Amino acid sequence: MCRSADVTQDVKQAVLAKNDDLAEALRNDLARQGTALVNLLSSPGSGKTELLGRVLARAVERGVPVAALTADLATENDARRLARSGAPVQQVLTDGLCHLEARQVRARLAGRLSAATRVLFVENVGNLVCPASYDLGESLRIVLMAVTEGEDKPLKYPTAFGSAHLVVVTKTDLAEPAGFDEDAFRANVHRVNPGVEIVRSCARTGDGVDTVLDRALAALDGTPPHRPPLAPHPHSERHGHGHGHSHRPGPVHPAGDEYAGDTRAQPRPATTPAS
C-alpha cells in the first residue's frame, strides 16, 4: 500500500509540475505582450460573476482594454452576462472538470486575444478546493467570499486564501442581515495569509469596483501587491529556477479531456455600474 501511495503522489506532483511549467510560459508570453492575467477564485454563489461584470464595464468606461474568460461545467450563461459589459468574453466549458488548467487557458486564447488587451480576467470554476492548486499564469490571484458564507471560511479553505494576492469580500450590503462579523473574518484571513489586502465590495452599489480594477492594473508591472505564504507560482517566486516537481499543496485531479463546446460570446452594449 505504501508503494501505491508513493506512485499516486508522484503522479500528482508530475501533473502539477507540468501545469506549473505551462503556466510560467504563458505568464511570460503575456508579459511580453503587456497583458496581466487575473485569476478569480470563489465558491459558487459568491457574486463573482456580477462583480466581474461591473469591473469589466468600468474598464470599458475608463478606456482600459480588458477581456474575460469564464469557465463552467455547463451552460454559457455567465459569458452572456459578462458580455453585456461591452468587453470581449470567451466561455470555456470544462465538461465536468472542477478546475481550469494552464493548458486550457493557453489553448482557448490562441489567436483570440487582442494584442491591445491590458488585463485578462479569468473567472475560474466555482470551487475553492481544486482551482487553488493550479497556476494559470496569473500575475494576480483574487479570492472572493460573500458575507453569507461565514467568517470561518478562510480557515476551512486555507490553500485558496493562503495563495491569494488579494481577498475580496462581496455582497457587503447583506452583512447586517447575515450577521457577518467582519473583524472575525479579517482575523481569520490574516491567520492563513498575514498582511493580505482585503477589499469590501458590493456589485449593487459599485463599492470596491474601481479598487479591484486598479489592483488588476497594478499587476501589469509583474509585481503582485502582496506575497502570499502559498505563492501561486512557486518556480518563479520561490526558487527562481525550474525543476521536475511542484511545491504547491492541495488536491490534484488527473487532467481531463479538452473542454467541450467552447463558444465565444458576442459583446453587447456596455452597462453602467449601479451607483
Side-chain angles (χ1 to χ4, degrees):
M1 291 184 65
C2 291
R3 174 61 178 168
S4 177
D6 288 343
V7 170
T8 300
Q9 184 63 24
D10 287 345
V11 171
K12 290 180 178 180
Q13 294 298 335
V15 169
L16 283 180
K18 181 178 180 180
N19 182 82
D20 282 347
D21 290 341
L22 291 172
E24 186 66 15
L26 177 58
R27 184 165 28 251
N28 291 336
D29 288 346
L30 289 173
R32 283 190 289 270
Q33 179 177 305
T35 303
L37 190 156
V38 178
N39 186 6
L40 303 174
L41 281 70
S42 79
S43 298
S46 68
K48 176 170 78 269
T49 304
E50 185 65 22
L51 180 63
L52 176 56
R54 299 289 186 178
V55 172
L56 293 174
R58 188 61 56 86
V60 171
E61 291 176 355
R62 290 169 52 174
V64 179
V66 296
L69 188 155
T70 181
D72 269 310
L73 277 68
T75 85
E76 300 167 15
N77 294 343
D78 285 352
R80 294 191 182 98
R81 294 187 182 104
L82 293 175
R84 289 196 287 264
S85 68
V89 178
Q90 297 184 57
Q91 176 78 56
V92 173
L93 298 181
T94 64
D95 196 26
L97 195 63
C98 63
H99 60 272
L100 274 177
E101 298 177 9
R103 65 183 177 85
Q104 294 171 299
V105 175
R106 175 179 282 280
R108 191 67 186 122
L109 294 179
R112 299 183 179 95
L113 184 67
S114 168
T117 304
R118 297 283 68 84
V119 179
L120 171 66
F121 292 93
V122 176
E123 183 185 22
N124 218 313
V125 178
N127 182 350
L128 280 178
V129 182
C130 312
S133 297
Y134 286 83
D135 181 5
L136 300 184
E138 64 257 33
S139 299
L140 183 71
R141 175 175 288 198
I142 301 178
V143 174
L144 304 92
M145 193 202 89
V147 298
T148 52
E149 296 181 65
E151 300 86 354
D152 61 346
K153 194 131 192 178
L155 304 182
K156 294 178 178 178
Y157 299 91
T159 301
F161 284 90
S163 65
H165 297 117
L166 179 70
V167 173
V168 176
V169 57
T170 64
K171 304 184 182 182
T172 53
D173 55 326
L174 300 178
E176 185 173 351
F180 181 65
D181 186 337
E182 186 169 343
D183 289 340
F185 169 73
R186 288 177 176 272
N188 289 335
V189 169
H190 289 143
R191 279 183 63 184
V192 298
N193 195 340
V196 67
E197 182 182 8
I198 301 172
V199 174
R200 303 178 82 256
S201 73
C202 175
R204 286 185 177 180
T205 65
D207 184 31
V209 169
D210 280 299
T211 302
V212 171
L213 179 56
D214 289 341
R215 298 299 182 270
L217 291 171
L220 276 171
D221 65 4
T223 305
H226 167 72
R227 184 181 292 270
L230 301 179
H233 29 102
H235 289 341
S236 59
E237 288 196 354
R238 291 186 181 183
H239 302 296
H241 66 278
H243 44 63
H245 63 281
S246 170
H247 297 269
R248 190 187 324 284
V252 183
H253 297 288
D257 294 336
E258 286 294 336
Y259 43 86
D262 300 344
T263 60
R264 176 166 181 155
Q266 295 301 313
R268 302 180 185 179
T271 55
T272 302
S275 58

